[in-house]
Amino acid sequence: MRILVVNVNTTVSVTDAIAASARAVAAPGTEIVGLTPRFGAESVEGNLESYLAAVGVADAVARFEGPFDAVIQAGYGEHGREGLQEMLDVPVVDITEAAATTAMYLGHRYSVVTTLDRTVPLIEDRLLLAGLDRRCASVRASGLAVLELEEDPVRAVAAIVDQAKRAVSDDHAEVICLGCGGMAGLESRVRDATGVPVVDGVPAAVTIAESLVRLGLTTSKTRTYAAPRRKRITGFPLEEQ
Amino acid sequence: MRILVVNVNTTVSVTDAIAASARAVAAPGTEIVGLTPRFGAESVEGNLESYLAAVGVADAVARFEGPFDAVIQAGYGEHGREGLQEMLDVPVVDITEAAATTAMYLGHRYSVVTTLDRTVPLIEDRLLLAGLDRRCASVRASGLAVLELEEDPVRAVAAIVDQAKRAVSDDHAEVICLGCGGMAGLESRVRDATGVPVVDGVPAAVTIAESLVRLGLTTSKTRTYAAPRRKRITGFPLEEQ
Amino acid sequence: MRILVVNVNTTVSVTDAIAASARAVAAPGTEIVGLTPRFGAESVEGNLESYLAAVGVADAVARFEGPFDAVIQAGYGEHGREGLQEMLDVPVVDITEAAATTAMYLGHRYSVVTTLDRTVPLIEDRLLLAGLDRRCASVRASGLAVLELEEDPVRAVAAIVDQAKRAVSDDHAEVICLGCGGMAGLESRVRDATGVPVVDGVPAAVTIAESLVRLGLTTSKTRTYAAPRRKRITGFPLEEQ
Amino acid sequence: MRILVVNVNTTVSVTDAIAASARAVAAPGTEIVGLTPRFGAESVEGNLESYLAAVGVADAVARFEGPFDAVIQAGYGEHGREGLQEMLDVPVVDITEAAATTAMYLGHRYSVVTTLDRTVPLIEDRLLLAGLDRRCASVRASGLAVLELEEDPVRAVAAIVDQAKRAVSDDHAEVICLGCGGMAGLESRVRDATGVPVVDGVPAAVTIAESLVRLGLTTSKTRTYAAPRRKRITGFPLEEQ
Amino acid sequence: MRILVVNVNTTVSVTDAIAASARAVAAPGTEIVGLTPRFGAESVEGNLESYLAAVGVADAVARFEGPFDAVIQAGYGEHGREGLQEMLDVPVVDITEAAATTAMYLGHRYSVVTTLDRTVPLIEDRLLLAGLDRRCASVRASGLAVLELEEDPVRAVAAIVDQAKRAVSDDHAEVICLGCGGMAGLESRVRDATGVPVVDGVPAAVTIAESLVRLGLTTSKTRTYAAPRRKRITGFPLEEQ
Amino acid sequence: MRILVVNVNTTVSVTDAIAASARAVAAPGTEIVGLTPRFGAESVEGNLESYLAAVGVADAVARFEGPFDAVIQAGYGEHGREGLQEMLDVPVVDITEAAATTAMYLGHRYSVVTTLDRTVPLIEDRLLLAGLDRRCASVRASGLAVLELEEDPVRAVAAIVDQAKRAVSDDHAEVICLGCGGMAGLESRVRDATGVPVVDGVPAAVTIAESLVRLGLTTSKTRTYAAPRRKRITGFPLEEQ
């Protein structure tokens, strides 16, 4: 089985880290292919960049040559998942939702710890739309930008652990979701500091995508995610579609 | 005052109709400028096309030369409004929301009558995110595509009137919103057939945009709609931003 | 166009201030008529007084001689708007709702800062009924009574600014609504202190009422706001109706 | 113990019927006093009349001489209960809420069958505000006015039974609430026709009011229902308060 | 009238205290019978124990010989009430719900103060299922176990009062519900300390059960609470059913 | 990895069918062990039987000798999952929730088709508690009992297909969940008849349980699902615990 794991930003080192994180949990026989959008922002931290990413991810998937069995959109709280579902028959898994449904099997309420405060409403909006908001105790921000996670990991971990602890003590979270595709590898440190299970969206999404494929399930094409109607697309990366 | 009214599809005749509808209600001294995206779909009837439109609309606004006081995104149930709000300080008004808040001043519950059934969930999702869903009695589809409204207006009106009547009798709607930027000019026919007020989003949005400007109000830049952070954008229409 | 702006309390100086605030934003050609109820409380700060106001406002509108195009109920969180809508065909705009829908165009979440703590639940109830509660981050009280706003404006401003700041920092409000008809003129001070847009309900309501009139929209008479049935009213101001 | 049962309309025969219905279930030692407002509408079927009733009921209670232990507001879906709670320390029970909480002990979901369609949204609004709406399967209208219940009881029963049956079969109601103070005495006929328990609000409210008194419980005066502040009331029935 | 008051744990002294609390408020002519499950936990403080209690309570009621008119399940936030409703025609009243509906007649919002933090989600879940959650300001834990209430009443009262005060000041509760069957007798102390009404679930449930019996109302058997279908039950206390 | 799949009824042939269905999808190296409760009902179709099942399932798991890595509770809409989570550290997956989260990756809204109408509210309640209700379009009943599925499979399939079709056409479901542990094997027939993806809870739960184990995730023991406190359990199957 081949799963495309698509980064939402254009930073290749982030794609590599995400793909490695995905491979670490993939079942034997699952091939993980990391994709980086041809265009877009070097990190996605807001709506405008996220809309660019929605198109960049769709473009990356559309240009991929060869068969694949599922797609993972590896951005936390980003736009775009519904467009992929229209474009494809194979399952599409967003890591925001993958982390949430996984967390909901482990505790009564979960919190998300993300990067900048400005991205909190985006994540809240995605969980609301996905119908996964009621058991979300809080979405908290560490205050550090996506790329600072790579630049100053010690400080990043400290800030994330601090918010995770507050989520448990103040918001009654029983599980923590790492709210950024680039937080791979922090699970054990946050778990050790808080004593609660910690879910990283990328590996969670890999197991969900594999499961859907094994179950022979594909995206419903009956209404919301029906294939786009045949029409003229102008002057755009997806024009050739 | 100058208001940009941005079509979400690339069909110039639709832009012209929307701009004419906007001008018909604009106050003396308000200049309406219709914009058509440089790229995207000839009609927007699904998520993938809507994500393209989000970027196409942002591009069209970014390339506009000269000052303006407000922007209207003239697509019903489309993605993209939050990105414009980040990009701009001036008010941004989405016609889906403009129709809804206007309708809520006129009746206890409102319904939306749109084009294809597949776009119903998009509109429902936008109203949910906007916090304007609770008084929405229903979103109903006439079954006709966006461009069929122009091609076969008699049949289109009949189908829209039929759904509007059902919304009133079956769903207890007290106001009807015309759920497509291209339905301009149908208000009186639907109103005569149903006996309830009918709201077209484009003129409603014009008065709201004018009002926000007159009140001296601008988009809050404190958190969700803060200006995008300075970063590298690659290979994209908005790269030069 | 003539708009009746009806104060909910019997204090004429408050009516004058409200009307002045309305006139300051009214379009050329809009006549603002301030009305004061013949009976009721000198300030409205609770349910019992608010029910009196509902009848006092209806009485004042019913006794007004001459035509008018819209009515603004200029009390924050008060009962009565639905009764006016039954009584009239022209649009009725409540300032609680006007401030809320205006704020929702400017930021992801808004807070209301009102006078006494005891009026907070009334405002919350009105927003709940109006279906405008989900994006309300909080309703906060300055602790000062309606009439103290006039008596000790310096202290009033300080208390309001303090709560507005907390709404932004603690509740993640991105817009502040001034939750009292008598707070006219405080917008700029609260905006300067918080850095977020500030909405006063009275001017917001004026632009909305004007917009509805310009759009040719009237109250739906099909169900909830149908004209009262012909029946015997006994011993009451509205008996002659 | 003495309980005031206050009719919301000015028709004395309705007051008498309500009081008789209350007495039929009152415990030994409970005195039921029926009150009729001095002013207001002969039947309450809309918001404007209901706001008049809110003041008429408050006036009737305020003018009552002698002690009492609880007050029942005997109108279905009416405004006014919160004002009485501010005015009084003794418990106030609204029959809309009394029927709902009683029904919720008997079945998973309940429906309300009321008179005219126009009053349905009022009842829905009251249940929403009371936080008792989630287990309400539907509010249905028989299409007959309040006073027609007295004038043509055979037809009234048939229409009510018809809607009650539909509530059970179509809306999955497991309990029916009679949604009008004047439907006293219809319980057995609706129960026999539907096979589900039927709750009349007036007797339900009597037992709840008695219970609150027996438990020594009084209205919380800490915030929402604190006594009105001392202030000038002008030209009104309640002026002497 | 005879009411069975069933303890959820196997500690007879708790049953006795509950029954005494019930008798103190029962009407003349009401016989209170306290029942203790034959099996289960000495105190119920979690889901597993609560599921045991659900069966233990059903067993205790099934084995009771002689007629009875209503059943009170005297555990706060426990599973099991729906099973009793299937098994019986007479009304079943859960004290969690009895306290909540009683509190909702007294103030705008209520809080529950319970024992251990781990039981908070159980109570929240029961209120959610019962549709009584919206006006619940908070569920707070004193941190003391059920049996510690008996062992160290001074400390228990202090801890409960402390949380009740915070519920009023921080969460805007206007009524306090004592969230444990074993808190009988603490009402006056908590009321004196907080100044708000305090509801104990057991006496509240007694008056509600008596009311339902007096009104001639029984459990709806039409769908959710229909009698169990005839089938083979194996190797279990309820086998003989 | 060893996964216990626990039937909720005492019918061994149902356990065998469930286990076979689980094995059909289990990964290489996953051992599926089917458990049947020692006591309880031959089929679970109501709350009382479901509470018995909750204890019967806990007893079966507690008595299992040897290690295991996860538990699947294979009843649709049943009580008991939270108790298992307290009792165990390994993940516990309920098939009601497994089907729902799986369906939510495939379509905008899903419906459940179950057996008897009386079990519909149980399933709705479980989805509400799980926070998975908002995207549930409907829960529909085929009208056939659990054991009739085995006795008359042709009629059962016809009835289930009929409801599934209505869910798609009338309720706008885009995915169908088979709402009974005993419906294994019907996926393809319902999918062929409706054209939408069909999810059976047992195989879905197997892949989720496997995923949680592979991710090294265990139940959060911090609050709701903390291990039961050490206390005296009397006269019960679980006494020896």
Side-chain angles (χ1 to χ4, degrees):
Chain A
M1 165 185 340
R2 180 188 282 161
I3 298 175
L4 306 185
V5 179
V6 196
N7 185 7
V8 295
N9 65 44
T10 55
T11 302
V12 173
S13 63
V14 171
T15 308
D16 292 345
I18 289 169
S21 162
R23 278 182 204 110
V25 72
T30 297
E31 177 192 2
I32 299 293
V33 177
L35 296 185
T36 308
R38 287 190 299 156
F39 46 79
E42 63 186 325
S43 67
V44 178
E45 294 162 329
N47 279 288
L48 188 60
E49 293 156 7
S50 186
Y51 281 122
L52 301 184
V55 178
V57 165
D59 170 74
V61 171
R63 298 174 67 87
F64 182 78
E65 297 182 357
F68 52 91
D69 298 286
V71 173
I72 291 171
Q73 176 167 305
Y76 216 93
E78 306 308 347
H79 298 285
R81 185 256 300 154
E82 309 96 317
L84 293 175
Q85 287 178 295
E86 286 178 9
M87 199 167 82
L88 304 172
D89 289 333
V90 301
V92 177
V93 179
D94 177 277
I95 65 168
T96 322
E97 299 168 23
T101 65
T102 300
M104 287 161 73
Y105 285 106
L106 304 173
H108 195 258
R109 300 215 290 173
Y110 69 94
S111 283
V112 178
V113 180
T114 186
T115 53
L116 297 178
D117 186 53
R118 66 177 296 159
T119 68
V120 169
L122 279 89
I123 294 173
E124 291 173 339
D125 277 2
R126 262 1 84 195
L127 292 173
L128 175 67
L129 276 187
L132 299 173
D133 53 306
R134 188 141 47 78
R135 287 171 59 195
C136 180
S138 58
V139 181
R140 285 176 167 270
S142 71
L144 296 180
V146 170
L147 299 183
E148 287 178 289
L149 297 179
E150 289 198 337
E151 291 161 11
D152 190 348
V154 173
R155 187 165 147 246
V157 168
I160 290 164
V161 161
D162 180 53
Q163 291 299 320
K165 282 180 173 174
R166 292 191 199 190
V168 173
S169 63
D170 296 3
D171 310 331
H172 298 303
E174 304 184 1
V175 186
I176 297 296
C177 294
L178 298 178
C180 175
M183 286 183 183
L186 301 187
E187 293 104 312
S188 62
R189 270 174 286 186
V190 179
R191 185 181 61 234
D192 292 350
T194 60
V196 304
V198 175
V199 179
D200 183 11
V202 173
V206 170
T207 64
I208 291 167
E210 288 179 342
S211 296
L212 296 171
V213 174
R214 271 168 57 199
L215 293 167
L217 293 166
T218 55
T219 299
S220 180
K221 306 308 281 186
T222 201
R223 191 189 200 209
T224 310
Y225 306 131
R229 305 177 83 219
R230 183 165 296 278
K231 64 182 61 166
R232 192 159 36 88
I233 308 281
T234 308
F236 209 71
L238 293 168
E239 184 171 4
E240 59 266 39
Q241 288 273 293
Chain B
M1 167 185 340
R2 178 188 283 161
I3 299 176
L4 307 185
V5 180
V6 196
N7 185 8
V8 295
N9 65 44
T10 56
T11 302
V12 173
S13 63
V14 171
T15 307
D16 292 345
I18 289 169
S21 163
R23 276 182 205 110
V25 71
T30 297
E31 178 192 2
I32 298 294
V33 178
L35 296 185
T36 308
R38 289 190 297 157
F39 46 79
E42 64 185 326
S43 68
V44 178
E45 294 163 328
N47 279 288
L48 188 61
E49 293 157 7
S50 187
Y51 281 122
L52 301 184
V55 178
V57 166
D59 171 75
V61 172
R63 297 174 68 88
F64 181 79
E65 295 183 357
F68 53 89
D69 298 286
V71 173
I72 291 172
Q73 176 168 306
Y76 217 92
E78 306 307 347
H79 298 285
R81 186 255 301 154
E82 310 95 317
L84 294 174
Q85 287 177 296
E86 285 178 10
M87 199 168 83
L88 303 171
D89 288 335
V90 301
V92 177
V93 179
D94 177 278
I95 66 169
T96 322
E97 300 169 23
T101 66
T102 300
M104 287 161 73
Y105 284 107
L106 304 173
H108 195 258
R109 300 215 289 173
Y110 69 94
S111 283
V112 178
V113 180
T114 187
T115 53
L116 298 178
D117 186 53
R118 67 177 294 159
T119 67
V120 169
L122 279 88
I123 295 173
E124 291 173 339
D125 277 2
R126 263 1 84 197
L127 292 174
L128 175 66
L129 275 188
L132 299 173
D133 52 307
R134 188 139 48 77
R135 286 170 61 194
C136 180
S138 58
V139 181
R140 284 176 168 271
S142 71
L144 296 180
V146 170
L147 298 183
E148 287 177 288
L149 297 178
E150 289 198 337
E151 291 160 12
D152 190 348
V154 174
R155 186 164 149 248
V157 168
I160 291 163
V161 162
D162 179 53
Q163 291 299 320
K165 282 180 174 174
R166 293 192 200 189
V168 173
S169 63
D170 297 4
D171 310 332
H172 297 301
E174 304 183 1
V175 186
I176 297 294
C177 294
L178 297 178
C180 175
M183 286 183 183
L186 301 187
E187 293 103 312
S188 62
R189 271 175 285 187
V190 179
R191 185 182 60 235
D192 292 349
T194 60
V196 305
V198 176
V199 179
D200 183 12
V202 172
V206 169
T207 64
I208 290 167
E210 288 179 345
S211 296
L212 296 172
V213 174
R214 271 166 57 198
L215 294 167
L217 293 167
T218 54
T219 299
S220 181
K221 306 308 279 186
T222 201
R223 193 190 197 208
T224 309
Y225 306 131
R229 304 177 84 216
R230 185 164 295 278
K231 64 183 60 165
R232 193 159 36 89
I233 307 281
T234 308
F236 209 71
L238 292 168
E239 183 173 4
E240 59 267 39
Q241 288 274 294
Chain C
M1 168 184 339
R2 180 187 283 160
I3 298 176
L4 306 186
V5 180
V6 198
N7 186 7
V8 295
N9 66 44
T10 56
T11 302
V12 174
S13 64
V14 171
T15 308
D16 292 346
I18 289 169
S21 162
R23 276 182 205 109
V25 71
T30 297
E31 178 192 0
I32 298 293
V33 178
L35 296 184
T36 309
R38 288 190 300 156
F39 46 80
E42 64 186 326
S43 67
V44 178
E45 294 163 328
N47 280 288
L48 187 61
E49 294 157 6
S50 187
Y51 281 122
L52 301 183
V55 179
V57 166
D59 171 75
V61 172
R63 296 174 68 88
F64 182 78
E65 297 182 356
F68 53 91
D69 298 286
V71 173
I72 291 171
Q73 177 169 304
Y76 217 92
E78 306 306 348
H79 298 285
R81 185 256 300 155
E82 309 95 318
L84 294 174
Q85 287 177 296
E86 285 178 9
M87 199 167 82
L88 304 171
D89 289 335
V90 301
V92 177
V93 179
D94 177 278
I95 64 168
T96 322
E97 299 168 23
T101 65
T102 300
M104 287 161 74
Y105 285 106
L106 305 172
H108 194 258
R109 300 215 290 172
Y110 69 94
S111 284
V112 178
V113 180
T114 186
T115 53
L116 298 178
D117 185 53
R118 66 176 297 158
T119 68
V120 169
L122 279 88
I123 294 171
E124 291 173 339
D125 277 2
R126 262 2 82 195
L127 293 173
L128 175 66
L129 276 188
L132 299 172
D133 52 305
R134 188 141 47 78
R135 286 170 60 195
C136 180
S138 58
V139 182
R140 285 177 166 269
S142 71
L144 295 180
V146 171
L147 299 183
E148 287 178 290
L149 297 178
E150 289 199 336
E151 291 161 12
D152 190 348
V154 173
R155 188 167 147 245
V157 168
I160 290 162
V161 161
D162 179 53
Q163 291 299 321
K165 282 180 172 173
R166 293 191 198 190
V168 173
S169 62
D170 297 3
D171 310 331
H172 298 302
E174 304 183 2
V175 186
I176 297 294
C177 294
L178 297 177
C180 175
M183 286 182 182
L186 301 187
E187 292 103 313
S188 62
R189 270 173 286 185
V190 179
R191 186 181 60 234
D192 292 349
T194 60
V196 304
V198 176
V199 179
D200 184 10
V202 172
V206 170
T207 64
I208 291 167
E210 289 179 343
S211 296
L212 296 172
V213 173
R214 271 167 57 199
L215 293 167
L217 293 167
T218 54
T219 299
S220 180
K221 306 308 281 186
T222 201
R223 192 188 199 210
T224 310
Y225 306 132
R229 304 177 82 217
R230 184 164 296 277
K231 64 182 61 166
R232 193 159 36 89
I233 307 281
T234 308
F236 209 72
L238 293 168
E239 184 173 4
E240 59 267 38
Q241 287 275 295
Chain D
M1 161 185 345
R2 179 187 282 160
I3 298 176
L4 306 185
V5 180
V6 197
N7 186 7
V8 294
N9 66 44
T10 56
T11 302
V12 174
S13 64
V14 171
T15 308
D16 292 345
I18 289 170
S21 162
R23 277 182 204 111
V25 70
T30 297
E31 179 191 1
I32 298 293
V33 178
L35 296 185
T36 309
R38 288 190 298 158
F39 46 79
E42 63 185 327
S43 68
V44 178
E45 294 163 328
N47 280 288
L48 188 61
E49 293 157 7
S50 186
Y51 281 122
L52 301 184
V55 179
V57 165
D59 171 75
V61 171
R63 296 175 68 88
F64 182 78
E65 296 183 358
F68 53 89
D69 298 286
V71 173
I72 291 170
Q73 177 167 306
Y76 216 92
E78 307 306 347
H79 298 285
R81 186 256 300 154
E82 309 95 318
L84 295 175
Q85 287 178 295
E86 285 178 10
M87 199 168 81
L88 305 171
D89 289 335
V90 301
V92 177
V93 179
D94 177 277
I95 65 168
T96 322
E97 299 169 23
T101 65
T102 299
M104 287 161 75
Y105 285 107
L106 305 173
H108 195 257
R109 300 215 290 173
Y110 68 95
S111 283
V112 178
V113 180
T114 187
T115 53
L116 297 177
D117 185 52
R118 66 177 295 159
T119 67
V120 169
L122 280 89
I123 295 173
E124 290 173 339
D125 276 3
R126 262 2 82 194
L127 292 173
L128 176 66
L129 275 187
L132 299 173
D133 52 306
R134 189 140 46 78
R135 286 170 61 195
C136 181
S138 58
V139 182
R140 284 177 167 270
S142 71
L144 296 180
V146 171
L147 298 182
E148 287 178 289
L149 297 179
E150 289 198 336
E151 291 161 11
D152 191 347
V154 173
R155 189 166 147 246
V157 168
I160 291 164
V161 162
D162 180 53
Q163 291 299 320
K165 282 180 174 174
R166 292 191 198 189
V168 173
S169 63
D170 297 3
D171 310 331
H172 297 304
E174 304 183 1
V175 187
I176 297 294
C177 294
L178 298 177
C180 175
M183 286 183 183
L186 301 187
E187 293 103 313
S188 62
R189 270 174 287 186
V190 180
R191 187 183 57 234
D192 292 349
T194 60
V196 305
V198 176
V199 179
D200 183 13
V202 172
V206 170
T207 65
I208 291 168
E210 287 180 343
S211 296
L212 297 172
V213 174
R214 270 167 58 198
L215 293 167
L217 292 167
T218 54
T219 299
S220 181
K221 306 308 280 186
T222 202
R223 192 189 197 210
T224 310
Y225 306 132
R229 304 177 83 217
R230 184 164 296 278
K231 64 182 61 166
R232 194 158 35 87
I233 308 282
T234 308
F236 210 71
L238 293 168
E239 183 173 3
E240 59 267 38
Q241 288 275 295
Chain E
M1 166 185 339
R2 179 189 281 161
I3 298 175
L4 306 186
V5 180
V6 197
N7 185 8
V8 295
N9 65 44
T10 56
T11 303
V12 173
S13 63
V14 171
T15 308
D16 291 346
I18 289 170
S21 163
R23 278 183 203 109
V25 71
T30 297
E31 178 193 0
I32 299 293
V33 177
L35 296 186
T36 309
R38 286 191 299 157
F39 45 78
E42 64 186 326
S43 67
V44 178
E45 294 163 328
N47 279 288
L48 187 61
E49 293 156 7
S50 187
Y51 281 122
L52 301 184
V55 178
V57 165
D59 171 75
V61 171
R63 297 175 66 89
F64 182 78
E65 296 183 356
F68 52 90
D69 298 286
V71 173
I72 291 171
Q73 176 167 306
Y76 216 93
E78 306 307 348
H79 298 285
R81 185 257 299 155
E82 309 96 317
L84 294 174
Q85 287 177 296
E86 286 179 8
M87 198 167 82
L88 303 171
D89 288 334
V90 301
V92 177
V93 179
D94 177 277
I95 65 169
T96 321
E97 299 169 23
T101 66
T102 299
M104 287 161 74
Y105 285 107
L106 304 173
H108 195 259
R109 299 215 290 172
Y110 69 93
S111 283
V112 178
V113 180
T114 187
T115 53
L116 297 178
D117 186 52
R118 65 177 296 159
T119 68
V120 169
L122 279 89
I123 294 173
E124 291 173 339
D125 276 3
R126 262 2 83 193
L127 293 173
L128 175 67
L129 276 187
L132 299 173
D133 53 307
R134 188 140 48 77
R135 287 170 61 196
C136 180
S138 58
V139 181
R140 284 176 168 269
S142 71
L144 295 180
V146 170
L147 299 183
E148 287 178 289
L149 298 178
E150 289 198 336
E151 290 161 11
D152 190 348
V154 173
R155 189 166 146 246
V157 168
I160 291 163
V161 161
D162 180 53
Q163 291 300 320
K165 282 181 173 173
R166 292 191 199 190
V168 173
S169 63
D170 297 4
D171 310 332
H172 297 302
E174 303 184 2
V175 186
I176 298 294
C177 295
L178 298 178
C180 175
M183 285 183 183
L186 301 186
E187 293 104 312
S188 62
R189 271 175 285 187
V190 179
R191 185 181 61 234
D192 292 350
T194 60
V196 304
V198 176
V199 179
D200 184 11
V202 172
V206 170
T207 65
I208 290 167
E210 287 180 343
S211 297
L212 296 172
V213 174
R214 272 167 55 198
L215 293 167
L217 293 167
T218 54
T219 298
S220 180
K221 306 308 281 186
T222 202
R223 192 188 199 210
T224 311
Y225 306 132
R229 304 178 83 218
R230 184 165 295 278
K231 64 182 60 165
R232 193 158 36 89
I233 308 281
T234 309
F236 209 70
L238 292 168
E239 183 173 4
E240 60 267 39
Q241 288 273 297
Chain F
M1 166 185 341
R2 180 188 283 161
I3 298 177
L4 306 186
V5 179
V6 197
N7 185 8
V8 295
N9 65 44
T10 56
T11 302
V12 173
S13 64
V14 171
T15 308
D16 291 345
I18 290 170
S21 162
R23 276 183 205 109
V25 71
T30 297
E31 178 192 2
I32 299 292
V33 178
L35 296 185
T36 309
R38 288 190 298 157
F39 45 79
E42 63 186 327
S43 67
V44 178
E45 294 164 327
N47 280 288
L48 188 60
E49 293 156 7
S50 187
Y51 281 123
L52 301 184
V55 179
V57 166
D59 170 74
V61 172
R63 297 174 68 88
F64 181 79
E65 295 183 359
F68 53 90
D69 298 286
V71 173
I72 291 172
Q73 176 168 305
Y76 217 92
E78 307 306 348
H79 297 284
R81 185 257 299 154
E82 309 95 317
L84 294 175
Q85 287 177 295
E86 285 178 9
M87 200 167 81
L88 303 171
D89 288 335
V90 300
V92 177
V93 179
D94 177 278
I95 65 168
T96 322
E97 300 169 22
T101 65
T102 299
M104 287 161 74
Y105 285 106
L106 304 173
H108 195 258
R109 299 215 289 172
Y110 69 94
S111 283
V112 178
V113 180
T114 186
T115 53
L116 298 178
D117 186 53
R118 67 177 296 160
T119 67
V120 169
L122 278 88
I123 294 173
E124 292 173 339
D125 277 2
R126 262 2 82 194
L127 293 173
L128 175 66
L129 275 188
L132 299 173
D133 52 307
R134 188 139 49 76
R135 286 170 61 194
C136 181
S138 58
V139 182
R140 284 176 168 269
S142 70
L144 296 180
V146 170
L147 298 182
E148 287 178 289
L149 298 178
E150 290 199 337
E151 290 161 13
D152 190 349
V154 173
R155 188 165 147 246
V157 168
I160 290 163
V161 161
D162 179 54
Q163 291 300 320
K165 282 180 173 173
R166 293 191 198 189
V168 173
S169 63
D170 297 3
D171 309 331
H172 297 303
E174 304 183 2
V175 187
I176 298 295
C177 295
L178 297 178
C180 176
M183 287 182 182
L186 302 186
E187 293 103 313
S188 62
R189 271 173 286 186
V190 179
R191 186 182 60 235
D192 292 349
T194 60
V196 304
V198 176
V199 180
D200 183 11
V202 172
V206 170
T207 64
I208 292 168
E210 287 179 343
S211 296
L212 296 172
V213 173
R214 270 167 58 199
L215 293 167
L217 293 167
T218 54
T219 299
S220 181
K221 306 309 281 186
T222 201
R223 193 189 197 209
T224 310
Y225 306 132
R229 304 178 83 218
R230 184 164 295 278
K231 63 183 60 167
R232 193 159 35 89
I233 308 282
T234 308
F236 210 71
L238 294 168
E239 184 173 2
E240 59 266 39
Q241 287 276 295

